[in-house]
Amino acid sequence: ESSSLLLLLQAFKEELESLIQEQQRKGNNPTGLLALRQIADTLVASSVAGFSASPLSLGMVTPINDMYGAEYATMVKGEKVTRCKLASLYRLVDLFGWAHFGNAYVTCRVSKEQDHILILPRGLSFAEASASNLVKLNIIGEVIEQGSTNLRTDPTGFSPHAAIYSIRPDIRCVIHVHTPVTAAVSSMKCGILPISQEAMILGDVAYYNYQGSLDDQEECRELQKALGPTAKVLVLRNHGMVALGETIEEAFHFVYNVQYACEIQVNAVSCAGSVDNLVMLDPEKYKSLVYDVAMDSSFAMCSQYKWKAGELEFESLMRMLDNLGYRTGHTYRQPIVREKPRHKSDVEIPATVTAFMFAEDMDGAPTRLPLKFLQQRQQREKTRWLNSPNSYTKVNVDGGEDRYNSRTTTWMKAEETGTPIRIEDPNQFVPLNTDPIEVLQKRNKVRSLQPIKAHKTITDGAPYVPTEEEQMAPLPPNPFSELLEKDTEERPKNVERRQLGLSGTPAHTHTHTHTHTHTQT
C-alpha cells in the first residue's frame, strides 16, 4: 500500500513539474507559479523516515529541496542529493548559532574528477541556503554554474578551502567556523587540551598561523604542510577552527565535537584559573577507547546498514528539519518506525488447513477471556462453510441393454477420507431455521437406503473396468421422487380449478403442521 502511494505521489509530482515548467515559459503569472511550487513542495516533503512534515509549519520556511526536473537535468549523478545535503548543513550551522552572518564558510566537493566545489554566495544568510542557490566553482575559484542568484562568492574565504581540497583528495567537505569559544581556544598557546571525551574524539589536531587570507602560493603550501595527510581538525591561530570530512556527515561530526570541546575547555580554564590546575588525559592511552570507537565504520545498530562517523546523528537532524517543514530532500538510509503488525485474517488461512492455531491458543499462552471467546466464535463460524469430510469420485456407469446402452454419470463415495475438520456442532451443515425433527427423520431415511458401492481404488496403474454385476447394480433411489409423483398427480387438478376460477386449495388437502423453529447459536 505504501509503495503504491509513493508511486502515485511520484506521478503527481512529475505532472506538477511539467505544469511549473510550462508556467515558467509563459511568465506573467507569478502567483500561479508560486501556488504550484507550494503544492509540489508539500507533496515531496520527505516522509521516508517515518514522520510526515507538520502541517502547521508548511510554508513557514524556505524549502531546502527547491530544484525541479528541468533545473537539474544537466547535473552530474548525485549532484542534486549533494546540493540538498550541503544546504541542509548550512541550515544546521545557522540553527546551532555558528554562522556569524556569512563569516563562516561551508563547502563541498561535488566532483573529484573535475574538482568542482559548491559554496553559498556571499550576501545570503545561512537560513536562506537551498539546493538551487549554491554556486559551483572549480579549484581556482572560477564560476562553473551560478545558481539561482546573481550574487558572487568571496575569494578570500574560499582560498583556504581550495588549498585543502588540492592537497587532500580524500576530503569532500570543509567547514570553517570561528565562534567565540573556538576563536578563544585558537588564541591559547596550549591549543585544544586533552581534558574531555570530545577532545579525544578529534584525533590528531593540526595548527597553522593564519593571517586572515592566503595571498600567495607560499602561504598555501605552508597551510598544506601544517595540515598533513591525516588530520581532520585544523586550528587557525586566532581565527577559529576548520573541520574536514570524507563525507558531509563526518565533517559535521568533527565540527560539532570541536565546538563542544572548546566550550568545555573555556569553562574549565575559567573555573580552574590556570591550565596547570586541569587534569590531562593521555591521548595515546585513550585513542583506542574513544577515537577508534567513534570512527568505527562497522557500527551497525543491529541492522544491515553500517553507519560511519556522524551519519546516524546527521540523519536524526534531517528528520528534525523535515518535521519543522524545511523539506530537506534527504534520502534516508533506514526508516526508524517499525511496521505495524498486520491483523490476523481468515483469508490468509486456507479453508482446508485445520491444524493451524493462533499464537494465543498455544499451551502456556496467557488467556484473555474476551479475546478467547471471540476467537472461539470465529473458529465456529469458520467451520460452517468448510468442505464436507467425505470424498467422492465422478464415475461413468454403463446402462446395459435394459438402458439402451446409455452411460450415466454419478458420484460414488471413495474409500479415502477427505480433509478432516473439527466438528463444532453436529448440525453445522443444516440450514438455519430448520425443524430439527424433520432433519432427524430425513437423516434416518437416508441411512435406511441401500448404501452406494464404493469406487475401487486403482493400485496396479491399469484402468478400472467395472464388473458385469456392478454395471447391472441398481442406482440408489432418488429421495425426491415421492415429491415429484405427488406434484404430478395434483398438477391437473390445480389447472382445472384455475380454469373454473376457483382459488386456494381443496379442503381435504389442508394439513396443519406445527413447525418448530430452531436457531443455532
Side-chain angles (χ1 to χ4, degrees):
E1 182 180 355
S2 59
S3 60
S4 60
L5 180 60
L6 288 176
L7 290 176
L8 181 62
L9 290 178
Q10 181 68 20
F12 190 36
K13 183 178 78 70
E14 293 175 357
E15 185 69 20
L16 277 176
E17 289 178 355
S18 63
L19 291 175
I20 291 172
Q21 294 171 14
E22 182 179 358
Q23 193 70 34
Q24 286 177 335
R25 289 193 298 268
K26 289 181 179 179
N28 301 327
N29 192 6
T31 306
L33 180 61
L34 291 176
L36 289 174
R37 289 209 170 190
Q38 186 175 7
I39 296 174
D41 291 338
T42 304
L43 287 177
V44 300
S46 180
S47 60
V48 183
F51 295 107
S52 59
S54 173
L56 298 178
S57 61
L58 292 176
M60 293 177 62
V61 296
T62 304
I64 295 174
N65 181 17
D66 61 347
M67 302 190 69
Y68 300 90
E71 299 179 14
Y72 62 87
T74 59
M75 296 182 180
V76 297
K77 182 180 179 181
E79 181 175 346
K80 181 189 175 183
V81 176
T82 303
R83 283 176 171 269
C84 291
K85 192 176 294 187
L86 180 61
S88 300
L89 180 58
Y90 272 103
R91 301 293 185 98
L92 290 177
V93 172
D94 174 69
L95 291 174
F96 279 104
W98 305 336
H100 195 215
F101 289 108
N103 294 324
Y105 294 91
V106 183
T107 60
C108 179
R109 193 198 317 249
V110 70
S111 174
K112 289 186 177 181
E113 293 77 12
Q114 299 174 337
D115 268 340
H116 288 170
I117 301 166
L118 296 174
I119 190 174
L120 188 70
R122 185 75 173 181
L124 288 180
S125 67
F126 283 20
E128 298 175 287
S130 66
S132 63
N133 58 29
L134 297 176
V135 182
K136 185 191 295 185
L137 308 175
N138 59 16
I139 198 68
I140 60 176
E142 297 175 345
V143 176
I144 304 300
E145 187 175 339
Q146 177 61 40
S148 60
T149 68
N150 293 322
L151 300 174
R152 299 297 177 180
T153 59
D154 182 9
T156 302
F158 178 71
S159 57
H161 295 244
I164 293 173
Y165 285 123
S166 61
I167 196 61
R168 293 285 296 273
D170 60 314
I171 298 303
R172 189 178 178 184
C173 181
V174 177
I175 305 174
H176 170 217
V177 295
H178 43 95
T179 59
V181 290
T182 56
V185 173
S186 68
S187 64
M188 297 181 183
K189 293 182 179 180
C190 59
I192 299 178
L193 298 175
I195 59 174
S196 63
Q197 176 176 327
E198 286 72 19
M200 296 290 100
I201 290 177
L202 302 179
D204 297 331
V205 178
Y207 296 86
Y208 174 69
N209 293 323
Y210 186 61
Q211 304 300 324
S213 64
L214 300 179
D215 297 330
D216 51 27
Q217 293 297 322
E218 183 63 27
E219 293 182 357
C220 290
R221 286 191 291 269
E222 289 293 331
L223 184 146
Q224 295 170 351
K225 183 178 178 180
L227 179 61
T230 60
K232 298 292 180 67
V233 175
L234 173 64
V235 178
L236 300 178
R237 288 294 187 182
N238 302 95
H239 196 74
M241 306 287 175
V242 178
L244 292 68
E246 298 179 10
T247 61
I248 293 178
E249 294 87 348
E250 187 181 73
F252 181 80
H253 163 77
F254 281 108
V255 74
Y256 182 86
N257 282 282
V258 75
Q259 169 72 17
Y260 220 98
C262 291
E263 289 182 3
I264 294 174
Q265 181 169 328
V266 169
N267 292 334
V269 172
S270 63
C271 293
S274 173
V275 176
D276 298 334
N277 295 330
L278 300 177
V279 177
M280 302 295 174
L281 301 175
D282 185 4
E284 296 298 330
K285 179 180 179 181
Y286 288 95
K287 181 179 180 180
S288 60
L289 298 177
V290 181
Y291 177 79
D292 293 343
V293 172
M295 300 301 295
D296 186 8
S297 61
S298 63
F299 182 56
M301 281 290 290
C302 300
S303 67
Q304 57 181 336
Y305 302 103
K306 293 185 178 180
W307 300 91
K308 295 183 180 180
E311 290 182 344
L312 195 63
E313 294 79 6
F314 191 85
E315 188 151 312
S316 67
L317 293 173
M318 293 300 100
R319 286 194 297 270
M320 178 193 73
L321 293 182
D322 280 330
N323 291 334
L324 293 174
Y326 281 74
R327 300 188 282 283
T328 63
H330 182 74
T331 303
Y332 292 93
R333 294 183 60 186
Q334 181 182 16
I336 65 167
V337 176
R338 182 173 57 88
E339 293 184 0
K340 296 181 179 179
R342 298 178 59 185
H343 296 289
K344 293 185 290 290
S345 174
D346 293 345
V347 181
E348 298 177 357
I349 306 169
T352 57
V353 176
T354 58
F356 177 83
M357 294 182 64
F358 291 113
E360 291 83 354
D361 295 336
M362 302 296 181
D363 294 338
T367 303
R368 292 172 289 180
L369 292 180
L371 295 179
K372 193 76 172 180
F373 292 150
L374 178 60
Q375 291 172 4
Q376 291 175 354
R377 181 177 179 183
Q378 291 176 350
Q379 184 67 22
R380 287 195 299 269
E381 291 295 331
K382 196 186 310 178
T383 55
R384 285 183 178 278
W385 52 271
L386 290 179
N387 295 329
S388 170
N390 300 324
S391 179
Y392 296 89
T393 305
K394 190 175 183 180
V395 179
N396 293 327
V397 180
D398 293 333
E401 296 180 357
D402 296 341
R403 302 182 184 180
Y404 306 100
N405 295 326
S406 62
R407 295 179 63 86
T408 305
T409 301
T410 183
W411 289 93
M412 307 294 289
K413 185 175 180 181
E415 293 183 2
E416 63 270 10
T417 60
T419 304
I421 60 173
R422 182 174 58 183
I423 303 300
E424 301 289 343
D425 186 358
N427 294 327
Q428 65 174 348
F429 297 110
V430 177
L432 295 177
N433 303 324
T434 304
D435 186 2
I437 299 178
E438 182 183 354
V439 173
L440 183 60
Q441 293 175 353
K442 180 64 68 176
R443 183 181 300 160
N444 293 334
K445 184 176 181 181
V446 171
R447 288 176 180 176
S448 64
L449 298 177
Q450 182 179 357
I452 302 175
K453 186 177 295 294
H455 174 63
K456 293 183 179 179
T457 58
I458 299 174
T459 57
D460 55 355
Y464 171 70
V465 179
T467 62
E468 184 178 354
E469 180 182 355
E470 291 175 344
Q471 293 179 4
M472 298 302 295
L475 296 176
N478 189 350
F480 300 100
S481 60
E482 181 181 351
L483 298 177
L484 294 176
E485 295 174 357
K486 184 178 179 180
D487 184 64
T488 304
E489 295 175 357
E490 294 183 357
R491 180 171 300 177
K493 299 179 181 179
N494 294 333
V495 172
E496 184 179 356
R497 292 181 61 82
R498 292 194 192 95
Q499 291 176 354
L500 295 175
L502 299 177
S503 60
T505 59
H508 66 275
T509 61
H510 283 274
T511 58
H512 298 277
T513 59
H514 298 278
T515 302
H516 301 277
T517 302
H518 173 66
T519 304
Q520 295 182 356
T521 59

